[in-house]
Amino acid sequence: MTLSPSLPRLLHPAAWWVWGAGLAVAASRTTNPFLLVLVVAVAGWVVLERREVGSSNAFVPFLLIGVFAIGLRVVMVALLGGGVTGSTVLVRLPQLPLPAWSGGLRLGGPVTAEGILAAAYDGLRLAAILACLGATNALASPRRLLRYVPATLYEVGTAVVVALTFAPQLVEDARRVRSARRLRGHTGRGVREIARLAVPVLVGALERSLSLAASMESRGYGRAVRRTPRSARLGGALTIVGLLGVVLGLYGMLDATSPVALGLPTLLGGVGCAAAALLVGARRDPRTRYRRDPWGLPECVVALSGLVPAAVLMVGSIQGWDGVVPQQVPAVLPAVPVGLVGAVLVAAVASVAAPVPPLLAGLKTARAAA
């Protein structure tokens, strides 16, 4: 089948998740606030241009969680210290003496501008990563991606889908419960009111996530099991070892202070075990071919536009390019590296290269005709 880039259709979910993962990796390699804000802006722009009408907008909830993470990081550093010392003291909090085994941890004391800035940069980096995950969640539902998860990883994929849909449903339930309480005459404000919202919101979001997992399991979503006990045990062992290797390898690559052996070598070993598990599972667990999403040129361009900033920022972080990590002591205005800005902007190509979703295309056509 010939795919026209201008034909309205949903992009392959794997392409969106490769794009989002690449942008998240790029954000994880820098603490430059200008680059991180640009990453969030690019992710938000692509969501505005290519999110399907009626789909869950998980970008905003993840963005709010990121803002909360920034505030929490700053407050914790102000109270406990963050290892970054400076000479610009903003305020002196009452300090409680702690024993020597606390390892330099303090409670209270001077709060410096350098420490606050370093905490804000770290928090902003986490917020940018969360924004990338939220944007990907809004552009391609994890439920669609689950259809393409290899059968060996089906249970893990189901758990990931439930985890990724928990936060957006939490925000949606909070909005619904708050509206219901307002209709009953409650103001919906104040600490006591928030405490009353917490239990029904958490219970409701958890129940909806579990219902989603149960409904997918009861419908046999995307799987047909034809495994023997021996192949199931072998596939399970390889899957666990592979996933541990991938997780540790990704952690090593995201944390610049970790040993070199914990990064790419561990990741490659994990990928190798995971590939072996996929081969074992693929011979026994054929997947459904019902309404498969095509993979064409737009998918390749979108995936590549997310991998380019990840590759450039990783090389820049390893080689210590200027502007990747701003100077914190003494605090100065971070530089704006033009090359890195251009690399991040490459991810915005997805807003043009991806085909317009069908419902959004119909809405634009109706608006143009009005």
Side-chain angles (χ1 to χ4, degrees):
M1 180 175 62
T2 303
L3 297 176
S4 173
S6 60
L7 184 66
R9 66 179 177 87
L10 293 176
L11 195 78
H12 197 292
W16 280 128
W17 282 92
V18 171
W19 173 84
L23 207 53
V25 170
S28 69
R29 305 303 294 189
T30 179
T31 53
N32 190 315
F34 296 120
L35 293 177
L36 294 173
V37 170
L38 185 60
V39 167
V40 176
V42 168
W45 174 254
V46 176
V47 170
L48 286 176
E49 289 294 317
R50 287 299 182 266
R51 186 175 71 87
E52 179 60 305
V53 176
S55 62
S56 174
N57 187 7
F59 180 70
V60 175
F62 275 87
L63 204 60
L64 294 177
I65 295 174
V67 173
F68 175 76
I70 296 175
L72 181 63
R73 173 68 175 163
V74 171
V75 170
M76 294 301 291
V77 167
L79 293 177
L80 304 176
V84 176
T85 58
S87 57
T88 310
V89 179
L90 298 177
V91 64
R92 291 185 181 275
L93 300 176
Q95 185 170 4
L96 297 178
L98 295 178
W101 52 263
S102 60
L105 186 69
R106 65 175 174 82
L107 186 59
V111 179
T112 63
E114 291 82 358
I116 294 297
L117 277 179
Y121 292 166
D122 286 339
L124 184 57
R125 176 168 56 181
L126 177 59
I129 294 174
L130 290 173
C132 294
L133 291 178
T136 312
N137 208 321
L139 293 167
S141 171
R143 306 178 198 180
R144 290 180 56 213
L145 185 65
L146 185 62
R147 296 179 57 198
Y148 304 98
V149 174
T152 309
L153 303 177
Y154 179 79
E155 288 78 7
V156 178
T158 303
V160 171
V161 168
V162 172
L164 289 176
T165 55
F166 180 76
Q169 289 177 357
L170 189 71
V171 176
E172 184 178 345
D173 284 350
R175 188 181 299 114
R176 179 177 54 80
V177 174
R178 190 178 181 185
S179 300
R181 290 188 63 82
R182 281 182 175 178
L183 290 176
R184 295 186 180 97
H186 298 279
T187 60
R189 298 177 180 176
V191 178
R192 182 175 297 179
E193 189 69 17
I194 294 176
R196 290 173 179 171
L197 291 177
V199 174
V201 167
L202 288 174
V203 171
L206 186 59
E207 286 182 349
R208 291 182 61 179
S209 298
L210 292 177
S211 299
L212 169 64
S215 64
M216 291 190 301
E217 187 72 22
S218 62
R219 291 177 175 86
Y221 194 76
R223 77 176 317 195
V225 179
R226 300 175 185 174
R227 289 184 294 179
T228 62
R230 182 174 178 275
S231 65
R233 287 194 296 270
L234 179 60
L238 289 173
T239 299
I240 293 174
V241 175
L243 286 179
L244 286 176
V246 169
V247 170
L248 292 176
L250 287 176
Y251 173 78
M253 295 186 67
L254 294 175
D255 186 6
T257 61
S258 61
V260 177
L262 192 62
L264 188 60
T266 307
L267 178 61
L268 293 178
V271 171
C273 291
L278 298 183
L279 291 177
V280 172
R283 288 185 297 181
R284 294 288 181 181
D285 296 341
R287 307 305 306 269
T288 177
R289 295 186 178 276
Y290 177 65
R291 298 179 65 180
R292 306 280 287 187
D293 293 306
W295 185 281
L297 180 61
E299 280 78 6
C300 296
V301 175
V302 169
L304 189 62
S305 66
L307 294 177
V308 167
V312 173
L313 265 297
M314 286 184 65
V315 173
S317 174
I318 294 173
Q319 297 189 354
W321 291 355
D322 293 336
V324 176
V325 179
Q327 178 180 329
Q328 297 173 344
V329 181
V332 296
L333 185 66
V336 183
V338 179
L340 299 180
V341 169
V344 174
L345 288 178
V346 170
V349 173
S351 65
V352 180
V356 181
L359 297 181
L360 182 60
L363 183 62
K364 288 184 176 180
T365 304
R367 287 178 177 174

